[in-house]
Amino acid sequence: MAKAGPIDVLIIGAGHNGLVCAWYLADRGLKVAVLEARGVVGGAAVTEEFHPGFRNSTASYTVSLLNPQVIRDMRLDAHGLRVVLRKIDNFLPTEGPEHLLAGRNGLTRREIARHSASDAENFDAYAAAIGRVVGVLRQWLLRAPPNAGGGLGDLLAMLKLGGGVARLGIEGQRDLADFFTRSAAEILERYFSTEIVQALFGFDSVVGHYASPYEPGSAYVLLHHLFGEAAGVEGAWGHAIGGMGAITKAMARACRAKGVEILVDTPVEEVIVERGRAAGVVARGTAYRAAAVAAGVNPKLLFTSLLPEGAVDADSAGRMAKWQSESATFRMNLALSELPRFTSLPEPGDHLTAGIIIGPSLGYMDRAWLDARRDGWSREPVVEMLIPSTLDDSLAPAGAHVASLFCQHFPYEVAGGWDARRDEAADHIIRHVDRFAPGFAASVVGRLALSPLDLERRFGLVGGDIFHGKMGLSQLFSARPMIGAADYRMPLPGLYLCGAGAHPGGGVTGAPGHNAAQAILKDRWKWAR
C-alpha cells in the first residue's frame, strides 16, 4: 500500500463546510489536505450543465444562510464570488386571482394588508418576536453549544447562554420556549388569520423537513431559515452569479491560496485508527496519515461506513446507527423555452426572481405530508421554484431560462423503487406546477430529476437528507449529533465532525466548518504532547 506524506489535518469531503474548515486551519499554519469522492469540489453546492446549453445549481440552490464572517474572513469576493439579491423575496401564487408577495422596504406588510388589515397589524408583533429569538440564537452560530458532561469551558458557555436568554426579558423567554417546542402552525395561527399569510411564513417550517407544520418542533425549522443574510442585507435571499458552485469554487481558490491540497476522485474508504485515535484515512488504497481527521459527511455515514468496528464505544455507535436522516426531498432542474405565466400574476415581472412557493395554506402543507405517509408521495406537493436565469444570464441561452424545483414530500422509500418511478414523480410535479401556471409543462425542453435515492448516490446525502440529519428537537444544539459530542469532537480522539450533522445544522452556512476548525486548533497541544 502506497503511503502519502504526513500532514496535520485530513478532511473528508470538499463540500462547503469541509472547505471552510480547511481554510481556517491553513490560515493558522496547519498543513491540510481535503479528499473528495466526486470529480468536482463543492459537495451539494455545485453548478453543472444538465441539458445542452443549460447550467444550474444541482442540489442546494439559493443564498442566505452563508455566514457573513466566513465570507469576510475567506475574502470570497476577492476570489470571484458575487451575490445579487432577489428583486422580490417570495411569491405565493394560487390557482385563482389571489397571490402574495414578500420582500424588503415594507413590501411584506403592504401585501399582507391587501388580504387582512388585522394580519398586517399583527405582522409587526410577529416580526418583533422573531427578531428577539433569532438575535439570541444567531450569537451561537459560530460557537459550540454547551457540551453535556464537559468541563469549565462548557459551564461558561452555559452561563453565557443563560445570560443571553435572561436579557430577553420574560416575553422574549416565552417566545424562545414557543419556537423551540411548539408547531409552526400553532404560532402562526396565533398571529395571522389568513391562510395565504400563514403559508408565507409556514413554508420555512417544512423546507427539507419531512413533517407537517402542525408537528411540535417545526417552529424551530422555520427559525433556522431566518438566521442569514445576502449581499449584506439581513434576512434577505440572493443568488450567486454562476450558481451555488460559484461559492465553493471561490472557497477552493481561497483554500489553495493558503496551501490546502484538494484531491478529487479520491473517495475515502476507512478512517485509520491506531492506539485508540484517528491517525488518517485510506482512500483508493492509499494510506494518508495525519494528526487529526475532520469529516464533512453525514455522521451516520461516518460511524457506520468509515469507522472500523469497535473504534468507538457501543453506545455512541448504536446511537449514530439510528441517526434520523430523511428530508423527503425531490430536486429538479428544468430547461425552459420561456418564462412561466402564473394565473394569479401572469405578466413577466420581478416576482419571477423570487422564491415561488406553491403551498397556499398550512392545511395544504399538512395534507402533502399526510399523503406522503399514506400514499408514497404528495398528491399535491409543496414546491419552491426559483428561476435564477432572471438574475443571471450565464445559465441559459438567450431567451431561454432555467428553473430549480425543490419539492416536498417524496420519501426515501417508495413502492417499486426510485429507479422505476423517478420519471413518474417528475411528471407529476411538472403537471402540478402547470395548474398554477398553465402552459408551464409545454415550456419544459430538458430536465434533471433527482429523487432522494439519487441525492444519496450523487452527493452522499444519507436518506437523501439535505441537512445531514433531521432538524428535530432530539437532533439539535447540544444533541447534534449526540449528547457529549456537540463540540465537534467525536468519541474517538483525533476525529472531528465538520459537516451539517454538527451544530448549527444544515444549509449552506459554513458555520459547522468554522466551528470544527476552532475545536481542532484548541486541541493542537494534545498532538504535540
Side-chain angles (χ1 to χ4, degrees), residues 71-82 250 253-254:
I71 295 172
R72 289 192 299 269
D73 288 349
M74 296 182 72
R75 298 183 64 242
L76 296 182
D77 55 344
H79 290 285
L81 178 63
R82 180 184 166 216
R253 293 186 194 105

Side-chain angles (χ1 to χ4, degrees), residues 115-450:
H115 294 271
S116 168
S118 62
D119 281 0
E121 290 295 325
N122 289 337
F123 172 69
D124 296 334
Y126 174 75
I130 288 283
R132 287 190 292 267
V133 175
V134 168
V136 170
L137 297 180
R138 189 177 277 129
Q139 299 172 26
W140 286 88
L141 294 180
L142 293 184
R143 64 174 70 167
N147 202 26
L152 178 60
D154 292 293
L155 177 60
L156 293 175
M158 184 66 75
L159 291 174
K160 287 181 182 179
L161 175 60
V165 172
R167 286 189 291 274
L168 279 174
I170 189 63
E171 184 178 354
Q173 292 170 31
R174 290 168 178 163
D175 290 333
L176 181 65
D178 285 347
F179 277 101
F180 262 86
T181 61
R182 298 184 185 275
S183 73
E186 184 177 356
I187 291 175
L188 293 170
E189 289 173 350
R190 180 191 309 168
Y191 289 96
F192 308 112
S193 60
T194 310
E195 287 189 340
I196 197 170
V197 176
Q198 295 168 354
L200 170 65
F201 304 110
F203 169 72
D204 282 334
S205 72
V206 300
V207 173
H209 188 215
Y210 185 25
S212 164
Y214 289 92
E215 179 176 291
S218 58
Y220 177 81
V221 181
L222 183 159
L223 279 183
H224 184 78
H225 289 91
L226 304 179
F227 291 151
E229 64 177 58
V233 180
E234 193 171 291
W237 293 88
H239 168 75
I241 297 298
M244 297 298 284
I247 297 173
T248 48
K249 284 184 178 179
M251 288 178 171
R253 293 186 194 105
C255 285
R256 291 186 175 112
K258 292 289 183 180
V260 175
E261 185 177 8
I262 302 174
L263 304 179
V264 297
D265 291 316
T266 310
V268 171
E269 296 143 10
E270 186 175 70
V271 174
I272 298 171
V273 179
E274 292 179 348
R275 296 189 293 277
R277 65 174 293 114
V281 302
V282 177
R284 288 197 177 277
T286 298
Y288 296 83
R289 297 190 175 275
V293 175
V297 299
N298 184 300
K300 185 173 185 177
L301 178 64
L302 172 63
F303 279 80
T304 62
S305 298
L306 300 183
L307 286 180
E309 187 174 353
V312 299
D313 63 276
D315 183 69
S316 295
R319 289 179 182 277
M320 288 296 91
K322 300 296 184 182
W323 177 253
Q324 295 181 331
S325 292
E326 182 174 19
S327 58
T329 299
F330 195 101
R331 179 73 173 85
M332 273 204 294
N333 281 336
L334 302 180
L336 306 178
S337 61
E338 61 183 5
L339 289 170
R341 291 180 175 270
F342 288 87
T343 298
S344 54
L345 201 57
E347 296 306 317
D350 289 348
H351 62 288
L352 296 181
T353 72
I356 302 167
I357 299 169
I358 295 177
S361 71
L362 296 177
Y364 176 106
M365 297 176 193
D366 183 48
R367 290 191 298 275
W369 175 72
L370 291 171
D371 287 349
R373 301 267 297 178
R374 183 186 62 238
D375 302 329
W377 63 49
S378 302
R379 287 181 293 177
E380 294 185 309
V382 181
V383 178
E384 182 175 31
M385 179 164 69
L386 269 66
I387 311 174
S389 49
T390 58
L391 297 168
D392 181 357
D393 61 9
S394 73
L395 300 176
H401 289 275
V402 295
S404 302
L405 274 66
F406 187 91
C407 315
Q408 305 276 145
H409 296 281
F410 293 81
Y412 179 74
E413 293 185 357
V414 63
W418 275 115
D419 287 331
R421 303 194 66 187
R422 179 187 304 105
D423 287 338
E424 178 188 351
D427 291 341
H428 170 66
I429 293 165
I430 291 170
R431 283 195 302 270
H432 186 64
V433 175
D434 195 85
R435 286 170 46 183
F436 293 77
F440 176 76
S443 72
V444 176
V445 297
R447 74 188 187 194
L448 170 69
L450 297 175

